[in-house]
Amino acid sequence: MTNYLVKRVLMMLVTLWIIVTLTFSLMHAIPGNPFASESDQLPEQILANLRAKYHLDEPLPVQYLMYLKNLVFLDLGPSIKSDSRSVNDMIADGFGASAWLGGQAISIAVVFGILFGIIAALNRNRTLDYVAMALAVLGVAVPSFIMAPLLINFLAIKFPLFPVATWGTWMHTVLPSLALAFGPIAIITRYMRASMIEVMNQNYIRTAEAKGIPTVLIVIKHGIRNAILPVITFLGPLIASLITGTFVVEKIFAIPGIGKYFVDGIFNRDYPVILGTTIFYSAILIVTIFLIDIAYSLIDPRIRLTKKEG
Amino acid sequence: MNQHLLTIDNLKVNFKTYGGEVQAVRGVSFHVDKGETVAIVGESGCGKSVTAQAIMGLIPNPPGRIVGGKVVFEGTEISSLPKKELLGIRGTQIGMVFQDPMTALNPTMKVGAQIVEGFVRSQKVSREEARKRAIEMLRLVGIPDPEQRVDQYPHQFSGGMRQRVVIAIALACDPKLVIADEPTTALDVTIQAQILDLLKRLQEEQQLSVVIITHDLGVVAEIAHRMVVMYAGMVVETGTVEDVFANPKHPYTWGLMRSLPRLDEEEKQRLVPIEGTPPDLFNPPVGCAFAARCDFAMEICKQQMPPTTSFGQGHEAACWLHDERAPRIEELVAAGRQA
Ligand SMILES: Nc1ncnc2c1ncn2[C@@H]1O[C@H](COP(=O)(O)OP(=O)(O)O)[C@@H](O)[C@H]1O
Ligand code: SF4
Ligand SMILES: [Mg+2]
């Protein structure tokens, strides 16, 4: 077990390093630089000083090694555009809102996706199933940046139940969470439905019926637990899509999260901000996938972390 | 007159499918007394499992439906009980052992918990008592180290051991009747013999009544007292195992016997499978269902259902050959037909 964990953590660090390297190279491959918009107005000497200040005058490999060195001490460097602030500050600033939004969206997606999937499976080929499946198709087809304005239009403007945008009270979180969760709900519903239908046709369900266990208990004790397993393996990529979705949704709802800094960072070629937020999100994602694997092994007795292979 | 433990009376079960309505069981009657083992034999698809499911009230509906007849257990007609009362009989009064032990157990639930799940429900016992019961059941079915095994998961058991667990589940509530649907078909030959021995020992020790479903006459000879031969959803012959083996009366039973390896014969006889296939159950024939494959088929066989003839001691067969108007079997054999 310890062996496995050590190996896993090492793998996670390697993965992160690859992501840092790739992002670093790609970012510098994009034309433009942080001072592009000002270079017409600023005298050459000032630009040179600015470059020197942020070590942009050093060769790329040197910049890369310097960045890695700071990263080891969890220092993501200064923002080039907002002079007074470090990327660490920005992330600390935006993390609360982003984490709340992401966490709430994931919880909504998992709870409702699984619930709808179960309901659809148990009512297979009946009205409730068709309704759930129709919603699921919509959820897959409509991206969050279309869903967000639709939600605003109906639930904030036509029927002013929730605030249009910005951040503050819990009421502010409802529409962006829904916009984010809609797609993942749809995907989880479909997976859970298929998995549940398969499980309910298994022989061990018949065994439970032959024991005289009422249907409700069979569904809960024998059905759901087994049906959730394949869905859990799918949560990793889903959470990834949800995290990238927050960039756009935060922008639409003007939420002061990390996503806003990231998007602004890209427009401004603010290298440290782009790198820092990307690394931060990657780290979260890698840790999430790790936790999902552990959760999986806890639910499925056939999978034990001590095992050498698979 | 003493009452049978279980009586199946003219049971009919249909399944609605895209191709039409399958008449899987077409008027099956038999009974099981206390402390006896009754074997149901017949080729695959003749309705054995459906009959078992009907007894347990486990016919999947839709597509299946009991369209006629009844199942009476201890004087109560259980085929018409509301679901809630049926749940009080399933598991506690009638236990069931399934064919495939590899898939009959929940992979994510500890074996002990699966064994006593029904027991805990019906007896409302504490956790410790339940655990003790699970260990006791594991010991009863001959699983070594039951104290450790009780907390393990099915994937940690071999096929034979899993089938013992399935048997333990069926017996956990001290049922009066156990229905075993091909309990050894999925196992290796040596394990088969062990599981049969176990069933036989449990039946004797616990004074159980057992319905064992099989397509293997060897299994029948090994553990059953009486047998019911089914063909195309109907009973064609029934009687004590001794009577039917010594003096089979139905041409289908003759065919089954001929396809059985004989240990008492010196030279190895070739097994003769019965030629042809069973009839289409969407449109079963009006007369004897076996007519198309029967060496003795007569004109009447194709036109009318054969009546049931009794040969004493509950030995019965449904075949026109035993009608007094039919030619003697010896004459038919003399005329070149195979017996
Ligand atoms: N769930 C079902 N849906 C449709 N047809 C079924 C179903 N279960 C059984 N049948 C039909 O009933 C007939 C008898 O099946 P079964 O009792 O399983 O045979 P066996 O004697 O081999 O156990 C078969 O022809 C099968 O096609
Ligand atoms: S009734 Fe006729 S066809 Fe059917 S088994 Fe008897 S002899 Fe053969
Ligand atoms: Mg069967």
Side-chain angles (χ1 to χ4, degrees):
Chain A
M1 180 77 186
T2 340
N3 232 334
Y4 172 84
L5 288 182
V6 170
K7 237 187 188 159
R8 257 322 272 272
V9 171
L10 282 177
M11 283 305 295
M12 284 159 66
L13 289 175
V14 171
T15 312
L16 204 57
W17 171 69
I18 293 174
I19 290 170
V20 173
T21 311
L22 274 178
T23 320
F24 190 90
S25 337
L26 286 174
M27 197 173 62
H28 285 278
I30 304 172
N33 67 68
F35 312 111
S37 52
E38 292 130 9
S39 51
D40 299 339
Q41 298 122 39
L42 289 176
E44 190 54 40
Q45 184 54 43
I46 295 183
L47 274 179
N49 286 346
L50 275 174
R51 280 211 195 81
K53 180 179 177 200
Y54 296 105
H55 306 290
L56 294 175
D57 52 349
E58 309 270 3
L60 269 189
V62 177
Q63 290 187 39
Y64 171 69
L65 287 178
M66 282 167 64
Y67 191 82
L68 276 190
K69 198 194 91 199
N70 289 337
L71 195 58
V72 172
F73 298 103
L74 302 181
D75 178 4
L76 296 169
S79 159
I80 295 178
K81 278 286 153 165
S82 358
D83 196 18
S84 53
R85 316 188 59 202
S86 71
V87 179
N88 286 41
D89 286 342
M90 291 179 160
I91 289 178
D93 233 32
F95 184 63
S98 289
W100 183 265
L101 180 60
Q104 189 160 290
I106 290 169
S107 314
I108 292 175
V110 169
V111 169
F112 285 94
I114 286 177
L115 193 70
F116 291 164
I118 293 170
I119 292 174
L122 296 181
N123 292 285
R124 191 180 176 184
N125 294 341
R126 278 180 263 166
T127 318
L128 275 176
D129 185 21
Y130 294 133
V131 171
M133 283 303 98
L135 280 177
V137 170
L138 263 183
V140 173
V142 181
S144 56
F145 60 82
I146 307 262
M147 201 55 211
L150 281 178
L151 282 173
I152 294 175
N153 189 24
F154 282 101
L155 298 179
I157 297 171
K158 284 228 171 93
F159 305 96
L161 301 169
F162 301 99
V164 173
T166 73
W167 200 242
T169 66
W170 181 76
M171 290 299 271
H172 287 88
T173 70
V174 175
L175 292 190
S177 300
L178 284 181
L180 261 181
F182 197 61
I185 286 181
I187 296 172
I188 296 179
T189 300
R190 285 174 38 169
Y191 268 77
M192 188 66 193
R193 173 183 182 270
S195 179
M196 191 74 185
I197 286 175
E198 197 186 317
V199 164
M200 291 309 285
N201 278 321
Q202 294 292 312
N203 284 345
Y204 54 80
I205 296 296
R206 207 184 44 186
T207 306
E209 284 177 332
K211 284 189 235 178
I213 312 294
T215 314
V216 192
L217 282 181
I218 292 180
V219 168
I220 294 171
K221 288 176 71 179
H222 299 272
I224 295 177
R225 180 168 177 163
N226 285 295
I228 274 181
L229 284 173
V231 177
I232 288 180
T233 55
F234 193 70
L235 286 185
L238 207 64
I239 290 173
S241 79
L242 215 144
I243 283 177
T244 44
T246 55
F247 295 154
V248 180
V249 170
E250 281 179 14
K251 193 80 187 159
I252 295 175
F253 285 92
I255 292 166
I258 302 176
K260 186 172 94 45
Y261 292 114
F262 178 74
V263 175
D264 290 347
I266 290 180
F267 281 122
N268 295 330
R269 298 284 186 279
D270 195 339
Y271 295 143
V273 172
I274 304 176
L275 260 175
T277 42
T278 308
I279 292 169
F280 183 72
Y281 272 123
S282 307
I284 288 191
L285 198 60
I286 289 171
V287 170
T288 308
I289 291 175
F290 173 63
L291 292 179
I292 287 173
D293 281 357
I294 289 188
Y296 193 88
S297 78
L298 290 181
I299 300 187
D300 190 342
R302 286 163 298 186
I303 306 219
R304 283 287 172 240
L305 296 181
T306 34
K307 269 201 194 144
K308 286 255 160 54
E309 77 282 16
Chain B
M1 184 195 116
N2 68 343
Q3 195 187 38
H4 302 305
L5 180 69
L6 175 77
T7 309
I8 316 288
D9 184 20
N10 202 20
L11 180 72
K12 293 179 179 158
V13 182
N14 287 4
F15 287 93
K16 279 209 169 68
T17 66
Y18 291 114
E21 199 145 0
V22 185
Q23 302 179 23
V25 171
R26 306 187 293 142
V28 162
S29 302
F30 66 94
H31 65 88
V32 181
D33 280 324
K34 203 166 165 358
E36 76 169 343
T37 300
V38 174
I40 305 181
V41 259
E43 286 167 304
S44 168
C46 70
K48 306 183 294 292
S49 297
V50 171
T51 305
Q53 286 166 5
I55 298 171
M56 295 291 283
L58 284 177
I59 300 275
N61 179 2
R65 200 162 57 92
I66 295 181
V67 291
K70 58 189 178 187
V71 178
V72 180
F73 181 77
E74 290 200 302
T76 312
E77 188 182 332
I78 56 174
S79 42
S80 58
L81 279 185
K83 171 115 192 235
K84 210 170 162 209
E85 285 170 54
L86 192 60
L87 288 180
I89 290 176
R90 268 190 217 159
T92 48
Q93 306 283 321
I94 308 178
M96 182 134 188
V97 177
F98 295 97
Q99 172 171 347
D100 187 0
M102 301 317 270
T103 58
L105 297 171
N106 182 342
T108 59
M109 197 186 221
K110 286 179 182 168
V111 154
Q114 299 194 48
I115 292 175
V116 290
E117 192 181 5
F119 183 72
V120 170
R121 251 191 78 73
S122 61
Q123 312 286 308
K124 313 234 178 326
V125 294
S126 70
R127 280 177 80 118
E128 284 143 69
E129 281 173 277
R131 200 185 141 81
K132 260 173 67 188
R133 176 71 176 178
I135 294 172
E136 182 191 330
M137 294 313 298
L138 285 171
R139 189 169 290 128
L140 180 73
V141 296
I143 291 183
D145 295 329
E147 283 87 359
Q148 272 95 58
R149 291 298 217 163
V150 71
D151 291 321
Q152 293 186 343
Y153 289 94
H155 71 278
Q156 293 164 294
F157 288 69
S158 67
M161 285 294 155
R162 285 194 208 187
Q163 193 60 309
R164 288 174 193 262
V165 172
V166 175
I167 293 172
I169 290 176
L171 293 178
C173 294
D174 278 327
K176 300 189 175 81
L177 174 70
V178 169
I179 302 172
D181 189 352
E182 312 225 16
T184 61
T185 307
L187 304 170
D188 313 345
V189 188
T190 45
I191 311 290
Q192 278 188 13
Q194 290 170 12
I195 295 292
L196 278 187
D197 282 348
L198 172 67
L199 280 173
K200 197 169 168 178
R201 170 170 71 80
L202 292 171
Q203 188 271 323
E204 283 161 7
E205 280 176 13
Q206 323 248 323
Q207 270 301 295
L208 273 176
S209 301
V210 174
V211 173
I212 185 161
I213 293 174
T214 177
H215 56 255
D216 183 348
L217 284 180
V219 171
V220 179
E222 176 86 12
I223 85 168
H225 304 117
R226 283 195 304 115
M227 61 194 285
V228 174
V229 182
M230 278 184 70
Y231 185 79
M234 293 176 131
V235 175
V236 293
E237 182 160 4
T238 176
T240 63
V241 171
E242 290 80 18
D243 284 348
V244 176
F245 271 69
N247 210 351
K249 294 292 187 188
H250 195 280
Y252 177 65
T253 318
W254 298 343
L256 285 181
M257 300 277 178
R258 243 185 292 144
S259 57
L260 186 71
R262 307 273 307 242
L263 295 175
D264 53 342
E265 272 170 32
E266 279 298 309
E267 79 230 58
K268 280 224 172 86
Q269 217 181 348
R270 254 172 44 105
L271 300 187
V272 192
I274 305 170
E275 264 173 49
T277 49
D280 172 16
L281 291 177
F282 289 110
N283 259 316
V286 279
C288 173
F290 191 57
R293 302 165 77 184
C294 179
D295 282 334
F296 303 93
M298 300 163 283
E299 211 41 55
I300 182 89
C301 302
K302 288 167 194 137
Q303 284 156 13
Q304 276 181 52
M305 282 284 183
T308 298
T309 312
S310 194
F311 307 95
Q313 290 185 317
H315 189 181
E316 293 176 348
C319 172
W320 280 113
L321 286 179
H322 305 291
D323 190 273
E324 57 216 15
R325 289 160 293 181
R328 309 298 315 140
I329 296 169
E330 296 75 30
E331 294 169 28
L332 289 167
V333 174
R337 304 207 202 190
Q338 274 257 321

